[in-house]
Short mmCIF file of all heavy atoms in Angstrom, two decimals:
data_model
loop_
_atom_site.label_atom_id
_atom_site.label_comp_id
_atom_site.label_asym_id
_atom_site.label_seq_id
_atom_site.Cartn_x
_atom_site.Cartn_y
_atom_site.Cartn_z
N MET A 255 46.26 37.97 54.22
CA MET A 255 46.96 36.75 53.89
C MET A 255 46.21 35.94 52.82
O MET A 255 46.82 35.32 51.97
CB MET A 255 47.15 35.92 55.16
CG MET A 255 47.98 34.71 54.98
SD MET A 255 49.69 35.20 54.76
CE MET A 255 50.46 33.64 54.90
N SER A 256 44.87 35.97 52.85
CA SER A 256 44.11 35.16 51.88
C SER A 256 44.35 35.62 50.45
O SER A 256 44.39 34.79 49.53
CB SER A 256 42.63 35.18 52.22
OG SER A 256 42.11 36.47 52.09
N THR A 257 44.52 36.91 50.22
CA THR A 257 44.79 37.42 48.88
C THR A 257 46.12 36.88 48.36
O THR A 257 46.23 36.46 47.21
CB THR A 257 44.82 38.96 48.87
OG1 THR A 257 43.58 39.43 49.37
CG2 THR A 257 45.05 39.51 47.49
N PHE A 258 47.13 36.88 49.22
CA PHE A 258 48.44 36.36 48.83
C PHE A 258 48.34 34.87 48.48
O PHE A 258 48.88 34.43 47.47
CB PHE A 258 49.46 36.57 49.96
CG PHE A 258 50.78 35.93 49.66
CD1 PHE A 258 51.66 36.49 48.76
CD2 PHE A 258 51.13 34.73 50.28
CE1 PHE A 258 52.86 35.88 48.47
CE2 PHE A 258 52.34 34.11 49.99
CZ PHE A 258 53.21 34.70 49.09
N LEU A 259 47.65 34.11 49.29
CA LEU A 259 47.51 32.67 49.03
C LEU A 259 46.75 32.42 47.73
O LEU A 259 47.12 31.55 46.93
CB LEU A 259 46.81 31.98 50.19
CG LEU A 259 47.60 31.93 51.50
CD1 LEU A 259 46.74 31.36 52.61
CD2 LEU A 259 48.86 31.13 51.32
N PHE A 260 45.68 33.18 47.50
CA PHE A 260 44.91 33.04 46.26
C PHE A 260 45.79 33.32 45.05
O PHE A 260 45.80 32.55 44.08
CB PHE A 260 43.70 33.97 46.29
CG PHE A 260 42.81 33.83 45.09
CD1 PHE A 260 41.91 32.79 44.99
CD2 PHE A 260 42.88 34.75 44.05
CE1 PHE A 260 41.09 32.65 43.88
CE2 PHE A 260 42.07 34.63 42.94
CZ PHE A 260 41.17 33.58 42.86
N ASN A 261 46.54 34.40 45.09
CA ASN A 261 47.43 34.75 43.98
C ASN A 261 48.53 33.72 43.79
O ASN A 261 48.91 33.41 42.66
CB ASN A 261 48.03 36.14 44.17
CG ASN A 261 47.03 37.23 43.94
OD1 ASN A 261 46.05 37.04 43.24
ND2 ASN A 261 47.26 38.38 44.54
N ALA A 262 49.04 33.18 44.88
CA ALA A 262 50.09 32.16 44.78
C ALA A 262 49.58 30.91 44.08
O ALA A 262 50.34 30.24 43.38
CB ALA A 262 50.60 31.81 46.18
N ILE A 263 48.32 30.61 44.22
CA ILE A 263 47.73 29.46 43.55
C ILE A 263 47.32 29.79 42.13
O ILE A 263 47.52 29.01 41.20
CB ILE A 263 46.52 28.92 44.35
CG1 ILE A 263 47.03 28.27 45.64
CG2 ILE A 263 45.68 27.95 43.53
CD1 ILE A 263 45.95 27.90 46.61
N MET A 264 46.75 30.97 41.91
CA MET A 264 46.22 31.32 40.59
C MET A 264 47.28 31.73 39.57
O MET A 264 47.12 31.45 38.38
CB MET A 264 45.18 32.44 40.72
CG MET A 264 43.91 32.02 41.42
SD MET A 264 43.07 30.63 40.63
CE MET A 264 42.45 31.41 39.16
N ASN A 265 48.35 32.38 39.98
CA ASN A 265 49.34 32.84 39.01
C ASN A 265 49.95 31.71 38.19
O ASN A 265 50.06 31.83 36.97
CB ASN A 265 50.43 33.69 39.68
CG ASN A 265 49.96 35.10 39.92
OD1 ASN A 265 49.03 35.58 39.28
ND2 ASN A 265 50.61 35.78 40.85
N PRO A 266 50.35 30.58 38.81
CA PRO A 266 50.84 29.47 37.98
C PRO A 266 49.78 28.95 37.00
O PRO A 266 50.11 28.60 35.87
CB PRO A 266 51.23 28.40 39.00
CG PRO A 266 51.47 29.15 40.27
CD PRO A 266 50.52 30.31 40.24
N LEU A 267 48.53 28.90 37.43
CA LEU A 267 47.46 28.47 36.53
C LEU A 267 47.36 29.41 35.34
O LEU A 267 47.28 28.96 34.19
CB LEU A 267 46.12 28.40 37.26
CG LEU A 267 44.89 28.19 36.37
CD1 LEU A 267 44.97 26.84 35.65
CD2 LEU A 267 43.62 28.31 37.18
N LEU A 268 47.36 30.70 35.58
CA LEU A 268 47.25 31.67 34.49
C LEU A 268 48.41 31.54 33.50
O LEU A 268 48.21 31.63 32.29
CB LEU A 268 47.17 33.09 35.05
CG LEU A 268 45.94 33.39 35.90
CD1 LEU A 268 46.04 34.77 36.54
CD2 LEU A 268 44.66 33.27 35.09
N GLU A 269 49.61 31.32 34.01
CA GLU A 269 50.76 31.14 33.14
C GLU A 269 50.62 29.87 32.29
O GLU A 269 50.93 29.88 31.10
CB GLU A 269 52.04 31.08 33.97
CG GLU A 269 52.40 32.42 34.60
CD GLU A 269 53.56 32.33 35.57
OE1 GLU A 269 54.14 31.22 35.74
OE2 GLU A 269 53.90 33.36 36.16
N GLN A 270 50.12 28.80 32.89
CA GLN A 270 49.93 27.55 32.16
C GLN A 270 48.82 27.67 31.12
O GLN A 270 48.94 27.14 30.01
CB GLN A 270 49.64 26.41 33.13
CG GLN A 270 50.83 26.06 34.00
CD GLN A 270 50.47 25.12 35.12
OE1 GLN A 270 49.53 24.34 35.00
NE2 GLN A 270 51.23 25.17 36.21
N LEU A 271 47.76 28.39 31.46
CA LEU A 271 46.67 28.60 30.50
C LEU A 271 47.16 29.35 29.27
O LEU A 271 46.75 29.06 28.14
CB LEU A 271 45.51 29.34 31.15
CG LEU A 271 44.66 28.55 32.13
CD1 LEU A 271 43.67 29.47 32.84
CD2 LEU A 271 43.91 27.41 31.42
N GLU A 272 48.04 30.33 29.45
CA GLU A 272 48.54 31.11 28.32
C GLU A 272 49.35 30.23 27.37
O GLU A 272 49.37 30.47 26.17
CB GLU A 272 49.37 32.30 28.79
CG GLU A 272 48.54 33.40 29.42
CD GLU A 272 47.36 33.84 28.56
OE1 GLU A 272 47.54 34.10 27.35
OE2 GLU A 272 46.24 33.91 29.08
N GLU A 273 49.98 29.19 27.87
CA GLU A 273 50.74 28.27 27.02
C GLU A 273 49.81 27.44 26.13
O GLU A 273 50.23 26.93 25.10
CB GLU A 273 51.61 27.36 27.87
CG GLU A 273 52.74 28.09 28.56
CD GLU A 273 53.57 27.18 29.45
OE1 GLU A 273 53.45 25.95 29.33
OE2 GLU A 273 54.34 27.72 30.25
N LEU A 274 48.53 27.31 26.53
CA LEU A 274 47.58 26.54 25.73
C LEU A 274 47.03 27.31 24.54
O LEU A 274 46.33 26.74 23.70
CB LEU A 274 46.42 26.07 26.63
CG LEU A 274 46.82 25.12 27.76
CD1 LEU A 274 45.61 24.81 28.63
CD2 LEU A 274 47.43 23.86 27.21
N ARG A 275 47.31 28.60 24.46
CA ARG A 275 46.92 29.44 23.31
C ARG A 275 45.44 29.31 22.97
O ARG A 275 45.06 28.77 21.94
CB ARG A 275 47.79 29.12 22.10
CG ARG A 275 49.26 29.41 22.33
CD ARG A 275 50.10 29.16 21.12
NE ARG A 275 49.69 29.93 19.95
CZ ARG A 275 50.11 31.14 19.63
NH1 ARG A 275 50.96 31.77 20.40
NH2 ARG A 275 49.69 31.72 18.53
N GLY A 276 44.60 29.85 23.84
CA GLY A 276 43.16 29.76 23.66
C GLY A 276 42.62 30.50 22.44
O GLY A 276 42.09 29.90 21.52
N TYR A 277 42.76 31.80 22.40
CA TYR A 277 42.29 32.61 21.27
C TYR A 277 43.51 33.20 20.58
O TYR A 277 44.28 33.96 21.18
CB TYR A 277 41.37 33.73 21.75
CG TYR A 277 40.86 34.59 20.62
CD1 TYR A 277 39.78 34.18 19.86
CD2 TYR A 277 41.47 35.79 20.30
CE1 TYR A 277 39.31 34.95 18.80
CE2 TYR A 277 41.02 36.57 19.26
CZ TYR A 277 39.95 36.15 18.51
OH TYR A 277 39.50 36.90 17.46
N THR A 278 43.71 32.86 19.33
CA THR A 278 44.88 33.32 18.59
C THR A 278 44.62 34.69 18.00
O THR A 278 43.66 34.88 17.24
CB THR A 278 45.24 32.31 17.48
OG1 THR A 278 45.42 31.03 18.08
CG2 THR A 278 46.49 32.72 16.74
N ILE A 279 45.46 35.64 18.36
CA ILE A 279 45.36 37.00 17.84
C ILE A 279 46.12 37.08 16.51
O ILE A 279 45.62 37.57 15.52
CB ILE A 279 45.91 38.01 18.86
CG1 ILE A 279 45.04 37.95 20.13
CG2 ILE A 279 45.96 39.41 18.26
CD1 ILE A 279 45.61 38.68 21.31
N ASP A 280 47.34 36.61 16.51
CA ASP A 280 48.12 36.42 15.29
C ASP A 280 49.08 35.27 15.56
O ASP A 280 49.00 34.63 16.60
CB ASP A 280 48.82 37.71 14.84
CG ASP A 280 49.83 38.25 15.85
OD1 ASP A 280 50.47 37.44 16.56
OD2 ASP A 280 50.01 39.47 15.92
N GLU A 281 49.99 35.00 14.66
CA GLU A 281 50.84 33.82 14.81
C GLU A 281 51.75 33.87 16.04
O GLU A 281 52.20 32.84 16.52
CB GLU A 281 51.66 33.57 13.56
CG GLU A 281 52.64 34.69 13.24
CD GLU A 281 53.32 34.49 11.91
OE1 GLU A 281 52.65 34.10 10.95
OE2 GLU A 281 54.54 34.75 11.84
N ASN A 282 51.99 35.05 16.58
CA ASN A 282 52.88 35.20 17.73
C ASN A 282 52.17 35.54 19.03
O ASN A 282 52.79 35.52 20.09
CB ASN A 282 53.93 36.27 17.45
CG ASN A 282 54.84 35.90 16.31
OD1 ASN A 282 55.25 34.76 16.19
ND2 ASN A 282 55.12 36.86 15.44
N GLN A 283 50.90 35.87 18.95
CA GLN A 283 50.19 36.30 20.14
C GLN A 283 48.86 35.57 20.28
O GLN A 283 48.15 35.35 19.31
CB GLN A 283 49.92 37.81 20.11
CG GLN A 283 51.18 38.64 20.14
CD GLN A 283 50.88 40.11 20.12
OE1 GLN A 283 49.84 40.54 19.65
NE2 GLN A 283 51.79 40.90 20.65
N SER A 284 48.56 35.23 21.54
CA SER A 284 47.28 34.61 21.85
C SER A 284 46.90 34.98 23.28
O SER A 284 47.72 35.50 24.04
CB SER A 284 47.37 33.09 21.70
OG SER A 284 48.23 32.56 22.69
N ILE A 285 45.66 34.69 23.63
CA ILE A 285 45.18 34.94 24.98
C ILE A 285 44.26 33.77 25.35
O ILE A 285 43.50 33.28 24.51
CB ILE A 285 44.44 36.29 25.09
CG1 ILE A 285 44.08 36.58 26.52
CG2 ILE A 285 43.24 36.35 24.18
CD1 ILE A 285 43.65 38.01 26.78
N SER A 286 44.40 33.32 26.58
CA SER A 286 43.58 32.20 27.04
C SER A 286 42.69 32.57 28.21
O SER A 286 41.71 31.90 28.48
CB SER A 286 44.48 31.02 27.47
OG SER A 286 45.18 30.53 26.38
N SER A 287 43.08 33.63 28.93
CA SER A 287 42.31 33.96 30.13
C SER A 287 42.40 35.44 30.45
O SER A 287 43.35 36.12 30.09
CB SER A 287 42.81 33.14 31.32
OG SER A 287 44.16 33.45 31.59
N LEU A 288 41.36 35.90 31.12
CA LEU A 288 41.31 37.24 31.69
C LEU A 288 40.97 37.04 33.17
O LEU A 288 40.03 36.33 33.49
CB LEU A 288 40.24 38.09 31.01
CG LEU A 288 40.36 38.25 29.50
CD1 LEU A 288 39.07 38.84 28.94
CD2 LEU A 288 41.53 39.15 29.17
N ALA A 289 41.75 37.65 34.04
CA ALA A 289 41.53 37.45 35.47
C ALA A 289 41.53 38.79 36.19
O ALA A 289 42.33 39.67 35.89
CB ALA A 289 42.62 36.55 36.03
N PHE A 290 40.62 38.90 37.14
CA PHE A 290 40.55 40.07 37.99
C PHE A 290 39.96 39.64 39.32
O PHE A 290 38.88 39.02 39.35
CB PHE A 290 39.68 41.18 37.37
CG PHE A 290 39.60 42.39 38.24
CD1 PHE A 290 40.66 43.28 38.30
CD2 PHE A 290 38.47 42.65 38.98
CE1 PHE A 290 40.59 44.40 39.11
CE2 PHE A 290 38.39 43.77 39.80
CZ PHE A 290 39.46 44.64 39.85
N ALA A 291 40.67 39.95 40.39
CA ALA A 291 40.26 39.56 41.74
C ALA A 291 40.00 38.05 41.76
O ALA A 291 40.91 37.29 41.46
CB ALA A 291 39.08 40.38 42.22
N ASP A 292 38.78 37.63 42.06
CA ASP A 292 38.51 36.19 42.09
C ASP A 292 37.69 35.73 40.89
O ASP A 292 37.07 34.68 40.91
CB ASP A 292 37.83 35.79 43.40
CG ASP A 292 36.45 36.41 43.55
OD1 ASP A 292 36.12 37.33 42.78
OD2 ASP A 292 35.71 35.98 44.43
N ASP A 293 37.72 36.50 39.80
CA ASP A 293 37.01 36.13 38.58
C ASP A 293 37.99 35.68 37.51
O ASP A 293 39.09 36.21 37.38
CB ASP A 293 36.21 37.31 38.03
CG ASP A 293 35.03 37.66 38.91
OD1 ASP A 293 34.45 36.73 39.49
OD2 ASP A 293 34.69 38.84 39.00
N LEU A 294 37.58 34.70 36.74
CA LEU A 294 38.40 34.18 35.66
C LEU A 294 37.52 33.96 34.44
O LEU A 294 36.47 33.32 34.53
CB LEU A 294 39.03 32.84 36.09
CG LEU A 294 39.88 32.11 35.06
CD1 LEU A 294 41.12 32.93 34.69
CD2 LEU A 294 40.28 30.75 35.60
N ILE A 295 37.95 34.51 33.32
CA ILE A 295 37.26 34.30 32.04
C ILE A 295 38.22 33.55 31.14
O ILE A 295 39.37 33.97 30.95
CB ILE A 295 36.86 35.65 31.39
CG1 ILE A 295 35.89 36.40 32.29
CG2 ILE A 295 36.26 35.42 30.01
CD1 ILE A 295 35.60 37.81 31.82
N LEU A 296 37.75 32.45 30.59
CA LEU A 296 38.55 31.66 29.65
C LEU A 296 38.11 31.99 28.23
O LEU A 296 36.92 32.07 27.96
CB LEU A 296 38.39 30.17 29.94
CG LEU A 296 38.79 29.75 31.36
CD1 LEU A 296 38.45 28.30 31.60
CD2 LEU A 296 40.26 30.01 31.61
N VAL A 297 39.07 32.16 27.32
CA VAL A 297 38.79 32.61 25.97
C VAL A 297 39.39 31.61 24.98
O VAL A 297 40.56 31.24 25.09
CB VAL A 297 39.40 34.01 25.73
CG1 VAL A 297 39.07 34.52 24.35
CG2 VAL A 297 38.96 34.98 26.79
N ALA A 298 38.59 31.18 24.00
CA ALA A 298 39.07 30.23 22.99
C ALA A 298 38.47 30.57 21.64
O ALA A 298 37.42 31.21 21.56
CB ALA A 298 38.70 28.81 23.39
N ASP A 299 39.14 30.12 20.58
CA ASP A 299 38.64 30.42 19.24
C ASP A 299 38.08 29.21 18.51
O ASP A 299 37.74 29.29 17.33
CB ASP A 299 39.70 31.12 18.39
CG ASP A 299 40.99 30.33 18.27
OD1 ASP A 299 41.03 29.16 18.68
OD2 ASP A 299 41.97 30.91 17.75
N ASN A 300 37.97 28.06 19.21
CA ASN A 300 37.31 26.91 18.61
C ASN A 300 36.74 26.01 19.70
O ASN A 300 37.12 26.12 20.86
CB ASN A 300 38.25 26.16 17.65
CG ASN A 300 39.40 25.50 18.35
OD1 ASN A 300 39.23 24.77 19.32
ND2 ASN A 300 40.61 25.76 17.85
N PRO A 301 35.82 25.12 19.35
CA PRO A 301 35.15 24.28 20.36
C PRO A 301 36.09 23.38 21.15
O PRO A 301 35.88 23.16 22.34
CB PRO A 301 34.16 23.45 19.55
CG PRO A 301 33.93 24.22 18.30
CD PRO A 301 35.23 24.94 18.02
N GLU A 302 37.13 22.87 20.50
CA GLU A 302 38.06 21.98 21.20
C GLU A 302 38.78 22.73 22.32
O GLU A 302 38.90 22.24 23.44
CB GLU A 302 39.08 21.37 20.23
CG GLU A 302 38.47 20.40 19.24
CD GLU A 302 37.82 21.11 18.04
OE1 GLU A 302 38.15 22.27 17.74
OE2 GLU A 302 36.94 20.48 17.43
N LYS A 303 39.27 23.91 22.01
CA LYS A 303 39.96 24.72 23.01
C LYS A 303 38.99 25.20 24.09
O LYS A 303 39.35 25.28 25.26
CB LYS A 303 40.65 25.91 22.36
CG LYS A 303 41.85 25.56 21.54
CD LYS A 303 42.46 26.82 20.95
CE LYS A 303 43.57 26.51 19.98
NZ LYS A 303 44.11 27.72 19.34
N SER A 304 37.76 25.51 23.67
CA SER A 304 36.79 26.00 24.66
C SER A 304 36.42 24.93 25.67
O SER A 304 35.97 25.24 26.76
CB SER A 304 35.53 26.55 23.97
OG SER A 304 34.81 25.51 23.36
N GLN A 305 36.62 23.66 25.34
CA GLN A 305 36.41 22.58 26.30
C GLN A 305 37.70 22.25 27.06
O GLN A 305 37.67 21.91 28.24
CB GLN A 305 35.89 21.33 25.60
CG GLN A 305 35.46 20.25 26.57
CD GLN A 305 34.38 20.74 27.53
OE1 GLN A 305 33.41 21.37 27.13
NE2 GLN A 305 34.57 20.46 28.80
N CYS A 306 38.82 22.37 26.40
CA CYS A 306 40.11 22.06 27.00
C CYS A 306 40.46 23.01 28.15
O CYS A 306 40.92 22.56 29.21
CB CYS A 306 41.20 22.12 25.93
SG CYS A 306 42.87 21.87 26.55
N LEU A 307 40.24 24.30 27.97
CA LEU A 307 40.62 25.28 28.98
C LEU A 307 39.89 25.08 30.31
O LEU A 307 40.54 25.05 31.37
CB LEU A 307 40.42 26.70 28.45
CG LEU A 307 41.30 27.11 27.28
CD1 LEU A 307 40.89 28.47 26.75
CD2 LEU A 307 42.76 27.10 27.67
N PRO A 308 38.55 24.92 30.33
CA PRO A 308 37.90 24.69 31.63
C PRO A 308 38.27 23.34 32.24
O PRO A 308 38.41 23.23 33.46
CB PRO A 308 36.40 24.74 31.33
CG PRO A 308 36.24 24.99 29.89
CD PRO A 308 37.59 25.14 29.27
N ASN A 309 38.47 22.32 31.39
CA ASN A 309 38.89 21.02 31.92
C ASN A 309 40.26 21.13 32.58
O ASN A 309 40.49 20.58 33.65
CB ASN A 309 38.93 19.96 30.82
CG ASN A 309 37.55 19.56 30.36
OD1 ASN A 309 36.56 19.82 31.03
ND2 ASN A 309 37.49 18.92 29.21
N TYR A 310 41.18 21.82 31.93
CA TYR A 310 42.52 22.01 32.48
C TYR A 310 42.45 22.79 33.79
O TYR A 310 43.10 22.43 34.77
CB TYR A 310 43.40 22.75 31.46
CG TYR A 310 44.83 22.84 31.90
CD1 TYR A 310 45.73 21.82 31.58
CD2 TYR A 310 45.30 23.91 32.65
CE1 TYR A 310 47.04 21.88 31.99
CE2 TYR A 310 46.61 23.97 33.07
CZ TYR A 310 47.48 22.96 32.74
OH TYR A 310 48.79 23.02 33.16
N THR A 311 41.63 23.84 33.79
CA THR A 311 41.48 24.66 35.00
C THR A 311 40.91 23.84 36.14
O THR A 311 41.41 23.91 37.27
CB THR A 311 40.56 25.87 34.70
OG1 THR A 311 41.15 26.64 33.65
CG2 THR A 311 40.37 26.74 35.92
N GLU A 312 39.88 23.06 35.86
CA GLU A 312 39.28 22.23 36.91
C GLU A 312 40.27 21.21 37.45
O GLU A 312 40.38 21.01 38.66
CB GLU A 312 38.04 21.52 36.37
CG GLU A 312 37.32 20.72 37.43
CD GLU A 312 36.03 20.12 36.92
OE1 GLU A 312 35.92 19.86 35.71
OE2 GLU A 312 35.13 19.93 37.75
N HIS A 313 41.03 20.58 36.57
CA HIS A 313 42.03 19.60 37.01
C HIS A 313 43.08 20.26 37.89
O HIS A 313 43.47 19.73 38.93
CB HIS A 313 42.67 18.93 35.80
CG HIS A 313 43.75 17.98 36.15
ND1 HIS A 313 43.51 16.76 36.73
CD2 HIS A 313 45.10 18.07 36.03
CE1 HIS A 313 44.66 16.14 36.96
NE2 HIS A 313 45.64 16.92 36.53
N TYR A 314 43.56 21.44 37.46
CA TYR A 314 44.56 22.17 38.23
C TYR A 314 44.03 22.53 39.62
O TYR A 314 44.70 22.30 40.62
CB TYR A 314 44.99 23.44 37.48
CG TYR A 314 45.94 24.30 38.27
CD1 TYR A 314 47.31 24.06 38.23
CD2 TYR A 314 45.47 25.35 39.06
CE1 TYR A 314 48.19 24.85 38.96
CE2 TYR A 314 46.35 26.13 39.80
CZ TYR A 314 47.70 25.88 39.75
OH TYR A 314 48.56 26.66 40.48
N LEU A 315 42.83 23.09 39.67
CA LEU A 315 42.26 23.50 40.96
C LEU A 315 41.99 22.30 41.85
O LEU A 315 42.22 22.36 43.07
CB LEU A 315 41.00 24.33 40.75
CG LEU A 315 41.22 25.69 40.09
CD1 LEU A 315 39.89 26.37 39.83
CD2 LEU A 315 42.12 26.57 40.94
N ASN A 316 41.53 21.20 41.27
CA ASN A 316 41.33 19.98 42.06
C ASN A 316 42.64 19.49 42.67
O ASN A 316 42.66 19.01 43.80
CB ASN A 316 40.69 18.87 41.23
CG ASN A 316 39.23 19.13 40.95
OD1 ASN A 316 38.58 19.89 41.64
ND2 ASN A 316 38.73 18.50 39.92
N SER A 317 43.74 19.62 41.92
CA SER A 317 45.04 19.21 42.45
C SER A 317 45.48 20.10 43.61
O SER A 317 46.31 19.69 44.41
CB SER A 317 46.09 19.21 41.34
OG SER A 317 46.48 20.52 41.00
N MET A 318 44.92 21.29 43.70
CA MET A 318 45.21 22.22 44.80
C MET A 318 44.13 22.14 45.89
O MET A 318 44.06 23.00 46.76
CB MET A 318 45.29 23.66 44.28
CG MET A 318 46.39 23.90 43.31
SD MET A 318 47.96 23.81 44.16
CE MET A 318 49.07 23.97 42.81
N VAL A 319 43.28 21.14 45.79
CA VAL A 319 42.16 20.91 46.72
C VAL A 319 41.23 22.12 46.74
O VAL A 319 40.78 22.57 47.79
CB VAL A 319 42.66 20.54 48.15
CG1 VAL A 319 41.54 20.02 48.99
CG2 VAL A 319 43.80 19.54 48.10
N MET A 320 40.97 22.64 45.55
CA MET A 320 40.01 23.73 45.36
C MET A 320 38.95 23.25 44.38
O MET A 320 39.19 22.35 43.60
CB MET A 320 40.71 24.98 44.83
CG MET A 320 41.75 25.57 45.74
SD MET A 320 42.57 26.99 45.00
CE MET A 320 41.26 28.21 45.04
N THR A 321 37.79 23.87 44.44
CA THR A 321 36.72 23.52 43.51
C THR A 321 36.20 24.78 42.84
O THR A 321 36.38 25.89 43.32
CB THR A 321 35.55 22.82 44.23
OG1 THR A 321 35.06 23.69 45.24
CG2 THR A 321 35.99 21.51 44.83
N ILE A 322 35.53 24.58 41.72
CA ILE A 322 34.89 25.67 40.98
C ILE A 322 33.46 25.78 41.46
O ILE A 322 32.76 24.77 41.61
CB ILE A 322 34.93 25.40 39.47
CG1 ILE A 322 36.39 25.38 39.00
CG2 ILE A 322 34.11 26.41 38.70
CD1 ILE A 322 36.57 24.96 37.55
N ALA A 323 32.99 27.00 41.71
CA ALA A 323 31.61 27.23 42.10
C ALA A 323 30.75 27.18 40.83
O ALA A 323 30.52 28.20 40.19
CB ALA A 323 31.46 28.55 42.81
N ALA A 324 30.32 25.97 40.46
CA ALA A 324 29.62 25.77 39.20
C ALA A 324 28.35 26.63 39.07
O ALA A 324 28.01 27.05 37.96
CB ALA A 324 29.27 24.30 39.03
N ASN A 325 27.69 26.90 40.17
CA ASN A 325 26.46 27.71 40.11
C ASN A 325 26.75 29.16 39.72
O ASN A 325 25.85 29.88 39.33
CB ASN A 325 25.70 27.64 41.43
CG ASN A 325 26.52 28.16 42.60
OD1 ASN A 325 27.74 28.15 42.55
ND2 ASN A 325 25.86 28.57 43.65
N LYS A 326 28.00 29.59 39.77
CA LYS A 326 28.37 30.95 39.38
C LYS A 326 28.97 31.01 37.97
O LYS A 326 29.30 32.07 37.49
CB LYS A 326 29.38 31.52 40.39
CG LYS A 326 28.79 31.76 41.76
CD LYS A 326 29.85 32.17 42.76
CE LYS A 326 30.63 33.39 42.33
NZ LYS A 326 31.63 33.83 43.31
N CYS A 327 29.10 29.86 37.33
CA CYS A 327 29.74 29.78 36.02
C CYS A 327 28.71 29.78 34.89
O CYS A 327 27.64 29.22 35.03
CB CYS A 327 30.56 28.49 35.91
SG CYS A 327 31.90 28.39 37.09
N THR A 328 29.07 30.42 33.78
CA THR A 328 28.24 30.38 32.57
C THR A 328 29.12 30.22 31.36
O THR A 328 30.28 30.49 31.38
CB THR A 328 27.40 31.64 32.42
OG1 THR A 328 28.25 32.76 32.38
CG2 THR A 328 26.41 31.78 33.54
#
């Protein structure tokens, strides 16, 4: 059950992150995140986006009463 709950919370976040267009591949394609199991990598092509993506993620998770394990982040 925990896997289902985790995915139910993370999938909307991943969809919203993709709308922020973190790293632009070309004018029609971009990528903002890579996710596997309970790992999330945020990808950006400039300093503004590289700060926006983690801030957005933290705000989203806080709204779901979840926190980021800062000691595991780099």
Side-chain angles (χ1 to χ4, degrees):
M255 187 72 169
S256 65
T257 303
F258 174 75
L259 292 174
F260 183 79
N261 287 336
I263 290 171
M264 291 302 288
N265 280 339
L267 171 63
L268 296 173
E269 291 172 2
Q270 292 170 27
L271 286 172
E272 289 309 311
E273 292 178 14
L274 297 176
R275 298 183 57 89
Y277 180 82
T278 304
I279 297 168
D280 62 33
E281 63 186 42
N282 296 319
Q283 295 181 336
S284 66
I285 186 167
S286 295
S287 62
L288 303 167
F290 180 76
D292 65 347
D293 290 326
L294 177 64
I295 298 172
L296 301 174
V297 183
D299 57 9
N300 66 51
E302 293 81 22
K303 289 180 187 177
S304 68
Q305 189 58 46
C306 176
L307 295 173
N309 288 344
Y310 187 88
T311 300
E312 184 175 28
H313 177 72
Y314 175 87
L315 293 175
N316 287 339
S317 75
M318 297 290 175
V319 193
M320 297 177 71
T321 59
I322 296 173
N325 60 335
K326 292 174 56 178
C327 298
T328 58

